[in-house]
Amino acid sequence: MMNLRKVKKVVAVLALSFSIAMPSFTFNPQHSEALTASGALGPVTPKDTIYQIITDRFYDGDTTNNIPAGTSSSLFNDANGDGKGDGTDLNKYQGGDWKGIRAKIPYLKDMGITAVWISVPYENREDLVSGAYTAYHGYHARNYFATNPHFGQMQDFIALKDALHANGIKLVIDFVSNHSGPEPDGDGVLYEPDKDGSGNYKFDANGNPVDNNGDGKKENLLADFNNDTNGFFHHEGNRPDSDTSKFGYRHKELASLADFSQENGTVVAYLEKAAKFWKSKGVDGFRHDATLHMNPAFVKGFKDAIDSDTGGPVTHFGEFFISRPDPKYDEYKTFPDRTGVNDLDFEYYNANKQAFGDFSQDMQNFGNMLISTSNDYTYENQAVTFIDNHDVSRFRNIQPNDKPFHASLATLMTSRGTPNIYYGTEQYLNPGNGGSDAGRMFMQTAAPAFSESTTAFQIIKKLSALRQSNEALAYGTTSILYTTSDVLVFKREFFGKQVIVAVNRQPDVSATVPALDTTMPVGTYTDSLGGLLFGETANVTNVSGQNKISSFTLSGGEVNVWSYNPSLGTTIPRIGDVVSTMGRPGNTVYIYGTGLSGSVTVKFGTTTAAVTSATDTMIEATVPSVAAGVQNITVTKGSNVSNAFTYTVLGGDQVQVIFHINKSTVSGQNVYVSGSIPELGNWDPASSSESFMNPNYPEWFLPVSVPAGSTFQFKFIIKDSAGNVTWEGGSNRTFTAPSAVTGTADTPVYTWQ
């Protein structure tokens, strides 16, 4: 919603066919793939191209749910009364639904889309906020266990999932665990379905809630911000822009939305139950809303609970909203390592806007970002890159000139990370003015057609295919071969497989690039875009023993994509990516790369893991019983050992301990905790907890995720702005974490010793 570890991987998933009440679509993937135990197609990997859909704003496949039974017609934008969305009042529902997405699967498939991210699927508030605003976006949760009736019933959701999977397209759902609805409007409420005598939610044969107790309703009030008897919500007020404290972001309300108390074990259990409910429907991933505003200890346990449930790990990425530069950058870049949830790559987005959009930074700056983030992000190819989305202005509104617009899109599709395309980008949707809300247009009325002939559509199609076929784009490292203010030539490489991209952002000014040293063999290399962006053939010759790309001229807006894609064979195993990168012993782990078939041995450090299956491009294995902390995964085949890929092994089911300490400090000092378990840094101050929060100074507190039931020792420390560390005196303190059932526990308020 609006914000008012390292080497790479490969996909390996074979599509199933599903029988659905829609036209029959078929899919012939280039790589053998296998459905996971839950019926999911498999986690999203850097081989994929994601397409983000605001469900209500894409396509209306079923006009009968435009005004669902029991809802007000005032929620629907239909001024002329024809039963269809007008696309004029973007604060109201327009009619897009799951059947509409199903109808456009051939369009998505033809574009090369291999994963879709859709809006929150569950029920949101139905009333108008301030008499004008609906929850079409899905960020005002009301009942996590019922579908949003404007999008369809549960059988429609399942049909969408099945149709996507039958066509080799993965399904990611948006999910909100930070808040419910706007509390000033009385929407800070949660409902749940009726239960049976055993306390289980009751659903009909189609998976929809039923009236089990005969009271005429299918739901019951669970929590109310204004009568919060179970402490479901924080009650710290709305965060003003002036409050940039960690406590303000995590405990105060985002845009007056009722903020969940993620330190409350009851709340944690409920949200985990809701997420696992949707995972059981066969989804392939979660996009987590507002991760900047969430308690990382909760996020770590939440992600672990989802992935440890039936079906194995799924993809997780979230909205940690930053600008560029931003004082929260260090917190942002380490969030995936601390929680296991990857970032939507706002650093990439901001750099793209500056280089290709308003030209406030040059291409050298953009190239520097690619290198610095490749170093800063442990798993840089798992970061989800984008040039625009629902929370920012459409890029077309910032850059209306086709040439830099297309150059930006081609660069997105070839850069490190996993690319995400905002719906309608391929049709140049442009509100002409306004910010993120203005860009949430109804594609069915805003675009003349779902055209497959636009240049943007063809760029995505061609480069999505290249991303699937050449592992250099999915798993490769990044290096800069040449750059000026307007030109960037960069290389992606995975064990000799290479893609070289040459970009000129200036629409009307040509630039000459000198001969460049290369490790590509002597020969000619055609443009993978087929000249779509004016690209030409590259010539590689040997000059005095050094292979060189001959000097070439880039015309205005020209983009060249040259691919060298030799077979790596099947003898030597090479790891490209691992999903997930964090989990407990006993969890499933997917290892992607090349040469992974046959008799292989997977090790976490020196401990052998059980292998469930192995193809040339994917191994499914089980995390062995091994010491908690960072372990190196390797694959051995015969005498050949792969490169290592880092994985964080958890000590068990994660629960929260909220540490409290009274300590007076001076400016520049912060309190931390260090202790005897990996989650507390194994007594290494450099690996201690993050800094504590102190809204009631001199009391400090911090939730930390630790293994359930574990007994550990710890001490509080102080670090100053120069990095000096001061330990408290006395004996080590001891604490026992709560059980998994309890979920959270507070320590006493200790006094510094």
Side-chain angles (χ1 to χ4, degrees):
M1 68 171 289
M2 183 66 177
N3 180 4
L4 302 215
R5 239 190 252 217
K6 185 173 232 181
V7 189
K8 304 40 185 158
K9 35 197 170 207
V10 164
V11 201
V13 197
L14 211 147
L16 280 188
S17 292
F18 294 84
S19 178
I20 58 174
M22 287 289 289
S24 176
F25 310 132
T26 59
F27 180 63
N28 296 307
Q30 296 180 18
H31 299 277
S32 177
E33 305 189 340
L35 284 168
T36 66
S38 67
L41 187 58
V44 176
T45 80
K47 282 232 167 186
D48 288 310
T49 298
I50 306 170
Y51 188 82
Q52 180 195 354
I53 296 173
I54 300 181
T55 301
D56 178 62
R57 302 301 161 88
F58 189 57
Y59 193 77
D60 188 353
D62 183 2
T63 58
T64 66
N65 60 30
N66 287 347
I67 305 175
T71 68
S72 171
S73 61
S74 66
L75 306 180
F76 185 56
N77 178 206
D78 180 21
N80 61 11
D82 65 355
K84 300 177 181 179
D86 298 337
T88 54
D89 186 348
L90 297 184
N91 294 318
K92 295 184 178 181
Y93 281 98
Q94 301 299 326
D97 49 35
W98 295 326
K99 286 185 179 179
I101 299 174
R102 287 170 63 197
K104 292 301 179 183
I105 287 176
Y107 171 82
L108 297 171
K109 182 179 172 183
D110 286 349
M111 202 190 323
I113 300 304
T114 55
V116 295
W117 152 21
I118 66 171
S119 302
V120 169
Y122 47 76
E123 185 181 74
N124 270 230
R125 63 169 174 81
E126 283 291 340
D127 56 315
L128 290 169
V129 171
S130 302
Y133 307 101
T134 63
Y136 69 87
H137 42 61
Y139 297 123
H140 298 169
R142 184 181 184 277
N143 187 334
Y144 281 91
F145 298 89
T147 62
N148 186 324
H150 299 267
F151 303 159
Q153 302 300 309
M154 185 59 77
Q155 60 266 36
D156 300 312
F157 179 82
I158 297 299
L160 171 62
K161 179 263 299 182
D162 287 349
L164 289 168
H165 284 178
N167 285 272
I169 301 174
K170 302 167 186 178
L171 176 59
V172 176
I173 61 170
D174 219 326
F175 200 89
V176 186
S177 52
N178 181 67
H179 55 261
S180 60
E183 57 89 0
D185 293 86
D187 286 312
V189 291
L190 284 179
Y191 289 83
E192 61 180 352
D194 279 0
K195 298 178 179 179
D196 62 18
S198 300
N200 299 312
Y201 294 143
K202 289 293 293 180
F203 304 98
D204 64 20
N206 289 318
N208 300 302
V210 296
D211 178 11
N212 190 59
N213 57 17
D215 65 355
K217 298 183 294 185
K218 300 177 182 179
E219 62 184 14
N220 303 279
L221 182 65
L222 174 68
D224 184 348
F225 183 89
N226 293 314
N227 186 25
D228 193 10
T229 56
N230 293 317
F232 242 78
F233 304 97
H234 292 140
H235 293 266
E236 300 291 347
N238 192 54
R239 184 189 68 84
D241 291 342
S242 59
D243 185 354
T244 59
S245 68
K246 187 186 298 183
F247 178 82
Y249 273 100
R250 297 182 186 176
H251 285 252
K252 293 185 180 180
E253 294 160 9
L254 168 62
S256 296
L257 298 168
D259 201 59
F260 289 138
S261 178
Q262 296 172 337
E263 301 75 38
N264 181 329
T266 300
V267 176
V268 172
Y270 174 77
L271 292 172
E272 290 180 353
K273 182 178 182 179
K276 289 188 283 189
F277 171 81
W278 285 98
K279 181 188 178 184
S280 74
K281 305 303 178 185
V283 304
D284 304 288
F286 290 79
R287 179 268 185 185
H288 298 274
D289 184 57
T291 51
L292 165 62
H293 300 269
M294 292 206 282
N295 164 8
F298 162 79
V299 177
K300 181 180 179 182
F302 187 57
K303 180 265 180 192
D304 172 61
I306 295 169
D307 283 359
S308 298
D309 198 44
T310 303
V314 295
T315 288
H316 298 267
F317 58 92
E319 178 210 13
F320 199 112
F321 202 115
I322 60 168
S323 55
R324 185 175 188 257
D326 197 296
K328 298 183 294 295
Y329 178 76
D330 284 347
E331 188 180 347
Y332 157 86
K333 74 178 182 181
T334 61
F335 188 82
D337 300 324
R338 292 182 287 125
T339 65
V341 174
N342 291 297
D343 286 329
L344 275 164
D345 199 345
F346 276 90
E347 184 74 359
Y348 183 100
Y349 156 75
N350 285 306
N352 174 83
K353 177 183 176 182
Q354 294 164 347
F356 291 96
D358 58 25
F359 279 41
S360 61
Q361 294 286 351
D362 61 20
M363 291 296 280
Q364 185 172 12
N365 180 274
F366 183 84
N368 289 341
M369 178 278 301
L370 290 177
I371 299 303
S372 65
T373 52
S374 292
N375 294 327
D376 288 346
Y377 302 175
T378 303
Y379 307 107
E380 70 270 24
N381 285 319
Q382 293 189 13
V384 176
T385 52
F386 61 100
I387 61 175
D388 55 5
N389 67 15
H390 63 305
D391 283 337
V392 298
S393 296
R394 281 193 174 268
F395 188 61
R396 188 60 171 182
N397 187 42
I398 298 167
Q399 181 49 269
N401 188 301
D402 277 354
K403 288 183 177 180
F405 181 88
H406 290 149
S408 167
L409 186 57
T411 301
L412 171 74
M413 292 297 299
T414 51
S415 293
R416 96 289 177 279
T418 305
N420 178 72
I421 306 297
Y422 189 30
Y423 81 99
T425 292
E426 74 283 5
Q427 300 299 334
Y428 310 103
L429 286 194
N430 179 13
N433 56 63
S436 59
D437 289 352
R440 300 175 183 184
M441 305 156 75
F442 188 22
M443 188 163 169
Q444 192 167 344
T445 60
F450 285 74
S451 171
E452 297 190 10
S453 62
T454 69
T455 299
F457 185 101
Q458 292 300 317
I459 291 169
I460 297 166
K461 179 184 180 73
K462 290 176 182 292
L463 295 181
S464 174
L466 184 61
R467 182 168 281 270
Q468 288 279 324
S469 65
N470 191 330
E471 284 81 5
L473 288 187
Y475 312 136
T477 57
T478 300
S479 56
I480 305 301
L481 303 184
Y482 178 79
T483 185
T484 67
S485 294
D486 295 313
V487 169
L488 179 67
V489 183
F490 64 95
K491 177 177 72 172
R492 306 290 314 288
E493 183 171 15
F494 179 73
F495 292 100
K497 289 175 177 272
Q498 296 182 48
V499 173
I500 293 177
V501 183
V503 181
N504 178 10
R505 72 170 181 177
Q506 281 289 353
D508 303 313
V509 180
S510 296
T512 298
V513 178
L516 302 173
D517 290 351
T518 184
T519 55
M520 294 171 71
V522 170
T524 58
Y525 297 85
T526 59
D527 172 32
S528 296
L529 285 168
L532 190 64
L533 299 182
F534 323 110
E536 300 177 353
T537 297
N539 295 303
V540 175
T541 59
N542 186 276
V543 180
S544 301
Q546 172 63 58
N547 285 4
K548 289 181 176 290
I549 300 173
S550 302
S551 176
F552 56 94
T553 297
L554 291 170
S555 62
E558 182 174 337
V559 178
N560 289 276
V561 180
W562 300 310
S563 172
Y564 175 56
N565 195 18
S567 171
L568 297 179
T570 60
T571 302
I572 301 174
R574 296 176 173 92
I575 299 177
D577 196 31
V578 171
V579 178
S580 165
T581 56
M582 178 184 291
R584 318 175 203 165
N587 281 177
T588 298
V589 63
Y590 302 114
I591 303 167
Y592 302 93
T594 63
L596 303 179
S597 61
S599 180
V600 294
T601 300
V602 174
K603 290 187 177 182
F604 283 64
T606 59
T607 303
T608 300
V611 173
T612 303
S613 64
T615 68
D616 187 63
T617 56
M618 184 182 80
I619 293 172
E620 180 179 333
T622 302
V623 180
S625 295
V626 64
V630 176
Q631 297 280 349
N632 283 330
I633 297 176
T634 55
V635 177
T636 300
K637 180 188 284 190
S639 61
N640 296 307
V641 182
S642 73
N643 53 297
F645 197 101
T646 56
Y647 184 97
T648 299
V649 178
L650 302 174
D653 192 356
Q654 298 294 291
V655 296
Q656 290 182 62
V657 171
I658 299 95
F659 291 85
H660 299 264
I661 176 72
N662 262 318
K663 179 68 175 83
S664 295
T665 58
V666 299
S667 179
Q669 290 183 329
N670 283 290
V671 174
Y672 302 76
V673 62
S674 182
S676 60
I677 55 177
E679 289 81 358
L680 298 178
N682 285 327
W683 297 116
D684 178 5
S687 302
S688 67
S689 72
E690 63 174 319
S691 61
F692 279 41
M693 294 171 279
N694 60 350
N696 298 310
Y697 179 84
E699 182 182 332
W700 303 70
F701 83 98
L702 184 73
V704 178
S705 179
V706 300
S710 60
T711 298
F712 53 85
Q713 294 186 321
F714 67 96
K715 276 189 172 181
F716 297 103
I717 61 176
I718 289 175
K719 298 181 186 179
D720 64 20
S721 56
N724 299 308
V725 177
T726 302
W727 292 79
E728 66 171 339
S731 302
N732 293 341
R733 303 183 188 275
T734 301
F735 195 81
T736 298
S739 69
V741 174
T742 306
T744 65
D746 286 81
T747 70
V749 179
Y750 296 105
T751 299
W752 180 273
Q753 60 186 21

